[in-house]
Amino acid sequence: MTKRAAALTAAAAFAALLGACTPTVRVKVDPINIYAKLDADVRVRLDKEVQTLISQNPNLF
């Protein structure tokens, strides 16, 4: 076996060993709970805005 072939074999064996020992990183993320409350006042305001828009543009529908 020549020196070059021996070096290539050693490099391949070293690469195989490094590939088998790759580190694994795991991150645990807890779920985030978001509580949203729609207020009746917001709904009334939106309804009034829609009514105003419809009355200003009667040809929309």
Side-chain angles (χ1 to χ4, degrees), residues 12-34:
F14 184 70
L17 286 174
L18 281 181
C21 299
T22 55
T24 301
V25 177
R26 293 186 182 162
V27 178
K28 182 180 177 186
V29 179
D30 292 328
I32 300 172
N33 294 326
I34 299 174

Side-chain angles (χ1 to χ4, degrees), residues 37-45:
K37 180 182 173 187
L38 291 177
D39 194 22
D41 185 48
V42 173
R43 205 169 200 181
V44 170
R45 278 193 244 156

